[in-house]
C-alpha cells in the first residue's frame, strides 16, 4: 500500500488516549500499528518502551521486523505473544515475591499432565484456597503452566504491588493485535494495564470471526467499543479489493459511505441448478479474463459453503480446475496446527524458498542460532519429495517446538502425519497450475485472494438468517463477507432457481439468501441474468 497514511490512519496516529480500532480486510492494519509505534517511541526516554502483543510468534516477529526496517529505536519495548508477556514480564520477575524462592523456572504445558497439580486445571480469576497453595508450591519449584499463564499472571498482578510500579515505569503503551481472539481473562488483564495508566491500543476485526466451533467470538472487542474511556476508530478502506467491492462488504454491516459507479459485485441469476451454473461459468471465463486482463486461470476461484456443492461443480465444470478439500488439519486451530498448515503451503509455493520461510520465523540478526536451525530443517522439508514427506516429519516437529516452546501438541502432529500419508489430502496444499481454476470452501479461502471470485451457496437456509442464534447468524454473515472480500477485481454471486441438497442427494427449489436484501446492497451491485 501507499507509504503515506490515509485520513483514517492519521486520525489514529494523532490520538494520544486509549483507542480501539476495528480494521477491515486489506485496510493497512499492520502499517498503522507500525507507524503508531514509531511515533510513540521516538518521544520516549531511553528506559521506556511499548508492549506489542500478537497471538503468534510469527505475527509478533513480523511486527518487530517491520518496525526495525523503519530504523526505529525500540528502546525497552516488548514484542511477543500474550503468553510470553505474562511469563517474562509478570510471572518470572515477581513470583518470588510470593514464594520467597528464586528457582530455575521451566514452562510446562498444563496442570493435567502433572497429577499433583491437577486442581489447577480449573483455576480462574477467582482462586480457591487449595488452588492458591498449589500455585505457590508450583512456583516455588519453578513450574509455570503455559495453559494457565493468564490466570497465574492475574493472580500475581493482584497480589504483588510491585508489578504495577514496574510496568508503569517501563511501558507507556500496550498494543494487542487480533483482539477479537481475546478471552475474558486476557481482556481483564488488558483493562488492568490501562487502569495503571498504560495507554491501551486494541486492534481487531469483528467480521473475521467465522470459526464458531473454536469458541472464538469478538465480544470483548465489541465491549471495548462501548466503553467511554476508549475512542473507537475504523480502518474501513480496503486497499486490496476494487473500491466497489470494499463498499459492498462494508454495507453488509450497516456501514454506508459512497456508491461507486463502476460496480464490480454482480448478483447473477441463472435458470437451473449448480450443473447449469457450472456450464455458464465455463462459457463466461474467457470473456471475463479478457475484460479484466487476467492471464492465468489460477487467479480465478469458485467459493462454496459445503462439500456437496464442490462435488457437483467438480464433476460438471469442463475448464481445468483443482479442488482444494478441507482436511482435518484445516480444522485444527491450535498454534501447532496453524504452523503446520502454513509450512505445507509454503513448501509447495513456487516462489517461496526455505530461506524465505526461515526468515519469517526468526531473524538472522537477532536470533542467529534459531534462524540457522530452522533454515536447516526447512531446507530438508522443502527438498523432500511429495511421495516421501513422512521422512521429514521430525523436522516439522522440531520447528514447532522451537517456534512454540512448551506447547507440544501431539494431536496436531498426528493430523499432519495423516495428511502427509494421504496423497489426496496432501494435494490440497499444492497450488493450482496456471491453467486451473480453484474450487474450495469459503472457510478454506480465508486469508487468500483471487482476481475473480464466483461466490456460490447464497441461499435461504445455507448462508442466511433463518436458522441459529444471533452469534451463529453473525458467523454466516461474516462468511459471506469473507467470500466477497477474497475478490480483487470482480465478485459474481451465483444464484440458481434450484440448489443441491446433499442430505437428499437431489435438487430443490432455491430461494436467495436474505443477506442479499440488506439495505443498501442492491444499489452497490449489478443484478444480471445469464441466459
Amino acid at each position: 500500500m501507499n507509504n503515506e497514511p490515509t485520513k483514517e490512519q492519521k486520525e489514529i496516529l494523532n490520538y494520544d488516549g486509549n483507542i480501539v480500532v476495528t480494521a477491515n480486510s486489506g485496510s493497512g492494519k499492520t502499517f498503522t500499528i507500525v507507524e503508531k509505534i514509531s511515533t510513540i517511541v521516538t518521544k520516549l526516554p531511553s528506559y521506556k518502551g511499548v508492549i506489542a502483543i500478537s497471538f503468534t510468534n510469527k505475527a509478533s516477529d513480523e511486527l518487530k521486523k517491520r518496525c526495525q526496517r523503519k530504523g526505529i529505536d525500540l528502546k525497552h519495548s516488548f514484542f511477543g505473544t500474550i503468553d510470553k508477556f505474562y511469563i517474562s514480564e509478570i510471572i518470572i520477575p515477581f513470583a518470588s515475591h510470593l514464594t520467597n524462592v528464586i528457582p530455575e523456572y521451566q514452562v510446562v504445558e498444563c496442570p493435567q499432565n502433572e497429577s499433583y497439580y491437577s486442581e489447577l486445571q480449573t483455576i480462574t480469576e477467582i482462586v480457591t484456597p487449595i488452588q492458591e497453595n498449589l500455585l505457590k508450591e508450583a512456583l516455588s519449584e519453578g513450574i509455570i503452566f503455559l495453559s494457565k499463564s493468564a490466570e497465574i499472571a492475574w493472580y500475581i498482578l493482584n497480589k504483588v504491588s510491585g508489578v504495577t510500579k514496574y510496568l508503569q515505569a517501563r511501558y507507556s503503551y500496550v498494543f494487542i493485535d487480533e483482539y477479537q481472539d481475546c478471552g475474558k481473562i486476557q481482556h481483564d488483564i488488558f483493562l488492568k494495564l490501562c487502569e495503571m495508566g498504560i495507554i491501551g491500543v486494541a486492534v481487531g476485526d469483528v467480521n473475521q470471526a467465522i470459526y464458531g466451533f473454536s469458541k472464538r467470538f469478538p465480544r470483548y472487542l465489541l465491549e471495548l467499543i462501548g466503553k467511554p474511556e476508549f475512542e473507537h476508530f475504523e480502518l474501513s478502506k480496503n486497499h486490496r479489493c476494487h473500491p466497489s467491492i470494499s463498499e459492498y462488504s462494508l454495507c453488509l454491516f450497516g456501514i454506508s459511505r459512497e456508491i461507486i459507479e463502476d460496480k464490480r459485485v454482480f448478483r447473477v441469476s441463472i435458470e437451473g441448478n449448480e450443473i447449469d451454473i457450472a456450464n455458464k461459468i465455463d462459457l463466461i471465463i474467457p470473456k471475463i479474463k479478457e475484460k479484466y486482463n487476467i492471464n492465468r486461470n489460477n487467479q480465478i476461484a469458485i467459493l462454496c459453503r459445503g462439500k456437496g456443492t464442490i462435488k457437483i461443480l467438480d464433476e460438471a465444470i469442463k475448464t481445468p480446475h483443482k479442488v482444494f478439500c478441507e482436511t482435518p488439519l484445516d480444522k485444527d486451530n491450535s498454534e501447532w496446527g496453524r504452523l503446520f498448515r502454513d509450512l505445507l503451503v509454503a513448501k509447495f509455493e513456487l516462489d517461496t524458498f526455505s530461506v524465505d520461510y526461515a526468515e519469517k520465523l526468526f531473524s538472522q540478526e537477532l536470533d542467529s542460532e534459531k534462524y540457522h536451525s530452522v533454515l536447516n530443517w526447512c531446507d530438508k522439508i522443502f527438498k523432500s519429495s511429495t511421495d516421501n514427506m513422512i521422512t521429514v516429519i521430525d523436522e516439522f516437529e522440531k520447528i514447532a517446538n522451537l517456534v512454540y516452546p512448551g506447547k507440544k501438541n501431539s494431536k496436531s502432529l498426528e493430523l499432519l502425519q495423516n495428511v502427509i500419508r494421504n496423497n489426496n489430502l496432501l494435494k490440497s496444499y499444492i497450488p493450482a497450475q496456471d491453467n486451473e481454476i480453484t474450487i474450495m470452501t469459503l472457510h478454506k479461502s480465508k486469508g487468500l485472494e483471487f482476481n475473480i471470485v464466483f461466490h456460490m451457496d447464497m441461499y435461504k437456509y445455507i448462508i442466511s438468517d433463518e436458522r441459529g442464534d444471533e452469534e451463529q447468524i453473525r458467523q454466516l454473515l461474516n462468511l459471506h463477507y469473507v467470500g466477497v472480500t477474497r475478490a480483487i477485481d470482480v465478485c459474481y454471486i451465483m444464484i440458481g432457481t434450484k440448489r443441491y441438497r446433499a442430505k437428499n442427494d437431489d435438487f430443490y427449489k432455491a430461494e436467495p439468501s436474505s443477506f442479499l436484501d440488506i439495505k443498501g446492497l442492491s444499489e452497490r451491485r449489478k443484478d444480471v441474468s445469464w441466459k
Side-chain angles (χ1 to χ4, degrees):
M1 61 171 284
N2 195 313
N3 287 329
E4 181 65 27
T6 64
K7 182 175 181 290
E8 288 180 332
Q9 291 165 343
K10 285 178 180 177
E11 290 176 351
I12 295 169
L13 298 178
N14 293 333
Y15 191 79
D16 292 328
N18 294 324
I19 62 175
V20 51
V21 179
T22 48
N24 293 308
S25 294
S27 61
K29 174 188 69 172
T30 305
F31 170 84
T32 308
I33 294 173
V34 170
E35 291 296 311
K36 182 81 172 171
I37 291 173
S38 175
T39 302
I40 293 164
V41 295
T42 55
K43 301 175 183 177
L44 295 178
S46 59
Y47 58 86
K48 295 201 80 166
V50 302
I51 303 163
I53 290 171
S54 302
F55 275 80
T56 67
N57 282 308
K58 179 182 170 185
S60 62
D61 288 344
E62 177 63 21
L63 183 61
K64 187 172 185 178
K65 284 179 185 177
R66 287 180 64 165
C67 288
Q68 290 170 328
R69 286 192 204 112
K70 285 182 64 68
I72 303 171
D73 178 4
L74 299 177
K75 300 176 181 175
H76 284 282
S77 296
F78 171 91
F79 285 78
T81 64
I82 199 160
D83 290 330
K84 184 178 179 182
F85 173 73
Y86 296 151
I87 292 169
S88 65
E89 296 299 291
I90 298 174
I91 299 173
I92 290 178
F94 294 99
S96 61
H97 291 240
L98 297 173
T99 63
N100 297 315
V101 177
I102 306 178
E104 184 175 334
Y105 289 100
Q106 60 172 321
V107 179
V108 300
E109 179 59 32
C110 59
Q112 68 183 14
N113 296 330
E114 306 281 335
S115 57
Y116 181 75
Y117 294 109
S118 59
E119 182 71 23
L120 293 177
Q121 184 63 24
T122 58
I123 194 172
T124 64
E125 293 175 57
I126 301 173
V127 181
T128 68
I130 293 174
Q131 289 172 335
E132 185 172 29
N133 290 332
L134 284 173
L135 181 56
K136 288 181 179 179
E137 189 173 340
L139 292 172
S140 296
E141 295 180 3
I143 300 172
I144 299 172
F145 296 110
L146 184 63
S147 64
K148 296 298 175 182
S149 61
E151 287 79 5
I152 299 170
W154 177 259
Y155 175 77
I156 293 173
L157 267 172
N158 287 283
K159 288 289 184 178
V160 181
S161 60
V163 182
T164 298
K165 294 177 182 177
Y166 165 77
L167 294 174
Q168 287 171 329
R170 189 176 178 94
Y171 300 113
S172 62
Y173 274 74
V174 53
F175 291 77
I176 299 187
D177 194 10
E178 304 294 349
Y179 203 89
Q180 74 273 6
D181 290 340
C182 276
K184 183 179 186 304
I185 194 159
Q186 289 90 1
H187 177 63
D188 288 343
I189 291 175
F190 175 73
L191 291 178
K192 194 168 185 68
L193 293 174
C194 296
E195 288 170 7
M196 295 176 189
I198 299 172
I199 297 173
V201 179
V203 184
D205 183 354
V206 294
N207 304 323
Q208 291 287 353
I210 61 174
Y211 292 104
F213 57 82
S214 65
K215 305 302 181 187
R216 290 165 55 200
F217 301 125
R219 60 171 62 96
Y220 299 110
L221 179 64
L222 295 171
E223 185 178 311
L224 283 184
I225 293 172
K227 284 186 173 294
E229 61 267 36
F230 278 82
E231 190 71 21
H232 177 216
F233 294 92
E234 287 184 284
L235 288 175
S236 58
K237 184 172 177 59
N238 188 319
H239 298 277
R240 176 181 63 209
C241 302
H242 184 271
S244 69
I245 298 173
S246 176
E247 289 299 322
Y248 189 91
S249 68
L250 291 175
C251 191
L252 289 171
F253 301 98
I255 302 170
S256 299
R257 301 185 308 183
E258 58 181 320
I259 296 176
I260 307 297
E261 187 175 343
D262 180 14
K263 298 180 178 66
R264 299 287 187 89
V265 178
F266 293 81
R267 171 176 166 167
V268 181
S269 297
I270 287 176
E271 186 72 29
N273 55 42
E274 286 83 357
I275 296 173
D276 300 291
I277 291 175
N279 293 335
K280 296 296 183 184
I281 290 175
D282 277 329
L283 291 173
I284 203 72
I285 279 177
K287 297 176 184 177
I288 293 174
K289 285 173 64 179
E290 183 179 358
K291 180 176 181 179
Y292 295 104
N293 195 28
I294 304 302
N295 299 317
R296 305 190 312 273
N297 279 358
N298 62 4
Q299 295 171 294
I300 303 171
I302 305 176
L303 306 181
C304 312
R305 169 75 195 280
K307 296 177 183 177
T309 306
I310 288 177
K311 179 176 178 290
I312 296 293
L313 293 174
D314 185 26
E315 294 171 354
I317 284 185
K318 302 296 187 294
T319 305
H321 59 275
K322 177 166 183 178
V323 172
F324 289 84
C325 64
E326 270 196 302
T327 74
L329 184 61
D330 291 330
K331 297 179 180 179
D332 179 6
N333 205 40
S334 69
E335 289 168 322
W336 274 37
R338 293 196 300 267
L339 177 65
F340 290 153
R341 286 196 301 276
D342 194 45
L343 190 46
L344 281 173
V345 170
K347 171 189 163 47
F348 293 114
E349 283 179 338
L350 295 178
D351 58 350
T352 301
F353 302 94
S354 54
V355 65
D356 301 320
Y357 198 79
E359 287 175 350
K360 283 171 65 176
L361 297 178
F362 293 104
S363 164
Q364 185 175 5
E365 294 78 19
L366 301 176
D367 296 294
S368 178
E369 186 176 341
K370 291 180 180 178
Y371 167 78
H372 285 290
S373 294
V374 167
L375 177 59
N376 177 46
W377 298 327
C378 282
D379 204 41
K380 291 179 180 179
I381 292 171
F382 278 55
K383 288 179 178 177
S384 63
S385 68
T386 305
D387 296 330
N388 206 27
M389 280 188 65
I390 198 65
T391 61
V392 292
I393 195 72
D394 287 347
E395 278 65 31
F396 278 92
E397 185 174 5
K398 288 173 184 176
I399 292 172
N401 273 318
L402 197 62
V403 175
Y404 298 113
K407 295 191 175 183
K408 183 176 176 63
N409 192 322
S410 299
K411 181 63 176 176
S412 297
L413 191 61
E414 181 184 340
L415 293 173
L416 173 66
Q417 290 171 334
N418 292 341
V419 166
I420 287 175
R421 288 192 174 105
N422 186 318
N423 277 338
N424 288 331
L425 295 180
L426 188 57
K427 285 178 183 176
S428 194
Y429 296 93
I430 301 175
Q433 299 297 305
D434 285 355
N435 68 325
E436 295 176 323
I437 63 175
T438 291
I439 303 176
M440 63 170 52
T441 65
L442 287 155
H443 278 95
K444 195 170 179 66
S445 75
K446 186 170 184 266
L448 303 178
E449 57 185 47
F450 302 90
N451 293 86
I452 300 168
V453 166
F454 294 95
H455 186 343
M456 304 288 292
D457 292 332
M458 284 303 296
Y459 297 123
K460 187 175 182 179
Y461 304 121
I462 307 299
I463 303 178
S464 197
D465 64 1
E466 288 80 21
R467 291 177 178 167
D469 57 26
E470 183 179 347
E471 198 69 62
Q472 291 168 326
I473 292 169
R474 176 70 182 217
Q475 287 172 41
L476 288 173
L477 183 59
N478 292 346
L479 195 61
H480 179 39
Y481 168 87
V482 167
V484 171
T485 55
R486 296 316 90 199
I488 297 172
D489 292 314
V490 61
C491 177
Y492 297 96
I493 302 170
M494 309 302 292
I495 305 294
T497 53
K498 291 187 176 182
R499 64 173 175 84
Y500 178 67
R501 290 193 303 182
K503 182 179 178 181
N504 299 79
D505 192 26
D506 65 357
F507 293 100
Y508 185 75
K509 181 182 176 182
E511 296 182 53
S513 167
S514 56
F515 290 155
L516 297 172
D517 297 325
I518 290 173
K519 184 180 179 181
L521 290 185
S522 61
E523 296 94 327
R524 288 168 171 80
R525 68 172 182 246
K526 288 184 179 179
D527 293 357
V528 299
S529 295
W530 288 353
K531 302 297 184 182

